[in-house]
Structure formats: structure tokens, C-alpha cells
Amino acid sequence: MAGDSADVEDGAGSVEGAGYRQELRRTLGPFQVFAISFAFISVAVGIFGTYDQVLLTAGPVGIWLWLIAAVGQTLVALVVAQFAARIPLSGSSYQWASRLGSPRIGWWFGWLTFCFLAIAVVAMDDALASQAFMPLAGVAPDEGTARLITLVVLGVQAVVAIASTRLVGWINSLAVGVELALVAVVAVALVVAVLVAGDGEAANLASRGVAAHEPGYFAIGGGLMAAMIMGLATLVGFDSAANLAEEAKDPHRSVPRAIVGSVVAAGVLGMLFLVALTVAIEDVPRISADGSPVAAILRDRLGPAAEKGLLVAVVFAFFGAGTVVMVSCSRLVYAMSRDARFPAHRVMRRVAPRTGTPVPATLLILGLGVVLLVALPGAALLELITASTILPALIYGATIVLYLGVRSRLDRRTGAFDLGRLELPVAVCALVWTLVALFCLVSPGEARVSVVIVAGMLLLGGLFFLGMLVFDREALDTEPGGESPFDR
């Protein structure tokens, strides 16, 4: 208990040294912090939602792109962890850029991250409804029904997020436990089923499947490059633990370790899961044509009961991941609002004394989700969701550039996460990887509308930014607190 008390005091000191009051409650232990990042990544959810795209664009052999993405995203996570160890404040990259660059640079980091998270929670909940809950309940595919279910899920997640951060931590710890068990058990079960039947197809691991004769398979923007979407869309959000740094115990150590550990764990488990799934495919063309190929593989190999069990677990994993995104986004809004850099900041910075959670900020995320679901037609909503894959690549690339610019002036915090002499080569490799990833995302022709949407978000942010320069310039010229990460 004495150790926990010391951790809390050390974390609170970081908040107060940055010029803020400790308003959020520190209730998250090391595993719960890890669960926040791992739940956002959500291996089962990501593979469940994108495996069909890989089979159609690159064939089964496309799963090996996951390994490349896992290595690249681990490099990015190592750089992000360096920042998280030095500035453990809600707002993550927004705070890092504001304090190490300037408040104006930080604002743009915050705006990009806000756009990403606000879209991502709708994307996850819409996928929960259409790809997992409706098949589980035996409901025929229907856009209107899926949106109604998504609205209900958003409302439940908002209630949970407002009620208690500790409750969110428990739910996500349980969701992560279920997902880890799901991936491990299903992978082992598939291997056993294949061995017993004696008809496993190891050749699938090198097969181009239905994409074998597609023109431009290896071309820029072609099928192989398009299949990168699985790793790039799944292995993101690991920095969400940093958004809850003010609610974590011993954040200088627990948050960086959670960021890196979640990517490594997701990368390894995801690769094992993909290999097991791919070897278990009996009929590649039929499975490729199925709207939910993962469930179809399990149904073929393990029976309908296993398929239902998978869907139950995936629904819970989706719910946990969506809750994490909503909580992470609300903490970013809270962080920007207490610096007077977000619309309606006087309201959005309020924290409920009883629950210790930012209620208005959470309700804002819920409200935006409702607007998106009600106002946008199906095709536009799909493009908006696709745009959320481009945004984190931009954010991570900008974060790495910031780190390369300030790393020589950063001092070390005793006992905190630190790469030591490896920091420069890791950061350079991470930047190269991020540029490659961004190129892969924007090259396919289908990404053009999503690129326009991202540009529109930047334009909207630019208009608000200009408004602040005219009417509230002081908020963009000053930074709370006097403690500097350069002086430790």
C-alpha cells in the first residue's frame, strides 16, 4: 500500500508541476493500463473485420504483411513510449507537441487525434452491430438496423465511461482476458482439428487465391499493397494508454510499458491466429466470397457452436474496444479544454466530483456519433470510417518528427522507460516505416474519397484555429505550468 501511495503522489506531482490540478482519479494498475491499449488494438476485432479484404485483394499469402506491419508499428510504439515516460499527461501527443514544440503545433496534434478517435468509436460500434451482433442474433443484414444497434451501443458505452474509470478498467481487463483466451484457444483448436482431419493446407500460406490473375497485383496501389490495410487498421491506438496517464499509477513506467507491450503482444498473437486460420481453409474461393470468412472457417472446422461462441466473444471485444476509444477521446477533449483550446472549453473541462470523470466531454463524443449515424448515408459513412485509418499514420509520423527535433534536449527521468543509445536509430526507422505505411494507405484508388475527407477535416480545423488566433490568441501563446521536460 505504501508503494501505491508513493506512485500516486509521484503521478500527481507530474500533473501539478505541469500547471494543473489532479482532478481525475488514479485507479488504473499496470495490467489495466496495458488492457486499455490492447483493447483499442483488439486483435480479434481487427482480423475479424479485415480478413475478407486480404483474401480478396492479395489472397491468403497476404497475411504475411501483418508481420511487416507489426514490426513497423512496434518501432513507432517505442518512440511514443519515450514521450509518454517524460510527459504523462492526458492528451498524449497534444501535450507533447504543445510543451516540446509550441501550443500552436500542439493544437494541430490534438485536432487530428480528436478527429481520429471520434470517427473510430463510430467505426468500431458500427462493425460490432453489422459484423458480430446481427449475425449472432440471426438478424438479416440491414443498414438501418445496424445503425440503430450502433446508437444503443454508443449510449451504453457513454454511461459506463461516465460512471467510473475503474469500471472501464475492469471491463477492459475482462475483455482483454476474453480476447487473449479466444485467440489462443481458437488457434489451438484449429490446429488440432486440421491435424485430426489430416487435410490442412499449408500451401495456402503461399497462395494468391482468387487474386492470382488480377492485373496490377504487385503494382503501386495494387492488390498486395491494398492488403496492408489489415495490419495498419488494427495495430493502431496503442497510445490510448497515454491519454489516461493521469488516471494511472506510476505512469512514468506503466504507461510506456503498456504502449510497447500491447503492440508486441498483438503482433505475435495476431500472426499465430492468422496462420492457424489460413492453414484451416479448405476451399479458398468459397471462403474468400463469404462476408465473414473467419466465422465460416470456424463453422467448417469446429461446427456452428464454435462459430456462435466466437461471435459472443467478438461482440464483447468490440464493446470493450469502443469503450476505450470513447474514454480516450473524452480525455483528449478534457485536456484541450482545460487549456482553453477546444470549442465550449468552459463546459468541456468539467469533471463530475462524484465520479471523477469528464461528463460533458464524454457526452460530446456520444453526440457526434449520433450525428454521424443519422446524417450520413451509407457510402459516406464507410468512406469516413476508412479515413480514420489515414489519420493515425499522420499523427504517428508527426510525433516521430517532433521527437527527432527535440530528443537532443530531453533529459532522462530516473527509473522511467528509456531506449538509451538505440533511440536515434529506432526513431529514424520508425519514420521511414510511417512514410511507407502512409503511402500504402493513400495509393489505392478507393482511398481518394477518404483522402478528401481528411483534407476537409484539416480545413475545418484550420477555420477554428484562425478563429482562435483572432479572438483568443492568448490560449495559443501560453502554456500552463513551469515544469519543463528539458530540465529534469
Side-chain angles (χ1 to χ4, degrees), residues 28-347:
L28 302 176
F31 181 77
Q32 290 173 314
V33 176
F34 166 82
I36 293 294
S37 285
F38 191 86
F40 194 125
I41 295 173
S42 194
V43 175
V45 169
I47 292 176
F48 192 90
T50 58
Y51 191 60
D52 59 335
Q53 182 71 11
V54 173
L55 293 178
L56 291 172
T57 59
V61 71
I63 66 168
W64 297 109
L65 294 171
W66 174 277
L67 187 59
I68 297 173
V71 173
Q73 295 300 83
T74 299
L75 292 172
V76 176
L78 287 167
V79 177
V80 171
Q82 292 285 96
F83 274 140
R86 291 176 169 93
I87 309 178
L89 297 172
S90 295
S92 58
S93 60
Y94 157 71
Q95 290 282 6
W96 307 335
S98 295
R99 294 173 181 276
L100 301 176
S102 74
R104 298 183 185 189
I105 295 174
W107 187 90
W108 280 103
F109 273 78
W111 179 255
L112 282 173
T113 305
F114 168 73
C115 292
F116 163 52
L117 295 174
I119 295 171
V121 68
V122 179
M124 286 189 178
D125 289 348
D126 183 70
L128 183 160
S130 61
Q131 298 181 33
F133 184 81
M134 290 173 67
L136 176 64
V139 178
D142 178 74
E143 176 77 21
T145 302
R147 293 196 181 207
L148 181 60
I149 295 172
T150 302
L151 288 172
V152 173
V153 173
L154 281 168
V156 175
Q157 288 169 335
V159 171
V160 171
I162 289 171
S164 168
T165 302
R166 186 187 295 273
L167 177 60
V168 171
W170 287 342
I171 289 176
N172 282 290
S173 294
L174 181 58
V176 167
V178 169
E179 186 167 357
L180 288 171
L182 169 70
V183 172
V185 170
V186 168
V188 171
L190 285 174
V191 171
V192 171
V194 167
L195 291 175
V196 170
D199 59 353
E201 295 292 342
N204 288 343
L205 298 174
S207 170
R208 289 164 59 180
V210 297
H213 304 294
E214 289 293 324
Y217 180 84
F218 295 102
I220 293 176
L224 190 63
M225 184 176 287
M228 283 290 291
I229 188 68
M230 180 165 64
L232 295 177
T234 304
L235 298 172
V236 296
F238 43 81
D239 53 323
S240 57
N243 256 337
L244 276 77
E246 292 178 31
E247 294 155 89
K249 302 173 183 178
D250 192 15
H252 298 288
R253 286 183 285 270
S254 64
V255 172
R257 290 171 181 172
I259 289 171
V260 178
S262 61
V263 180
V264 173
V268 172
L269 288 173
M271 194 70 250
L272 294 175
F273 190 39
L274 285 168
V275 169
L277 281 173
T278 304
V279 172
I281 298 177
E282 297 178 275
D283 186 340
V284 172
R286 178 175 63 83
I287 293 297
S288 299
D290 194 289
S292 184
V294 177
I297 294 169
L298 292 180
R299 184 169 59 250
D300 288 348
R301 289 293 184 177
L302 305 177
E307 179 192 8
K308 291 293 184 182
L310 167 72
L311 290 174
V312 170
V314 168
V315 165
F316 191 58
F318 266 120
F319 181 82
T323 303
V324 165
V325 179
M326 179 175 285
V327 170
S328 184
C329 191
S330 69
R331 273 33 172 198
L332 174 64
V333 172
Y334 163 77
M336 296 182 71
S337 296
R338 67 182 176 185
D339 292 338
R341 298 172 190 159
F342 197 85
H345 60 85
R346 290 182 179 84
V347 175

Side-chain angles (χ1 to χ4, degrees), residues 388-449:
S388 69
T389 307
I390 299 173
L391 285 166
L394 290 173
I395 296 165
Y396 293 147
T399 301
I400 296 167
V401 170
L402 174 68
Y403 184 76
L404 288 170
V406 303
R407 55 170 289 274
S408 62
R409 296 183 289 148
L410 288 173
D411 288 338
R412 314 295 179 189
R413 178 183 286 273
T414 303
F417 181 88
D418 190 1
L419 287 176
R421 296 179 180 179
L422 293 176
E423 62 176 349
L424 181 58
V426 167
V428 171
C429 291
L431 180 59
V432 172
W433 159 250
T434 303
L435 293 175
V436 170
L438 189 58
F439 182 72
C440 291
L441 289 171
V442 302
S443 294
E446 296 82 359
R448 292 173 184 170
V449 176

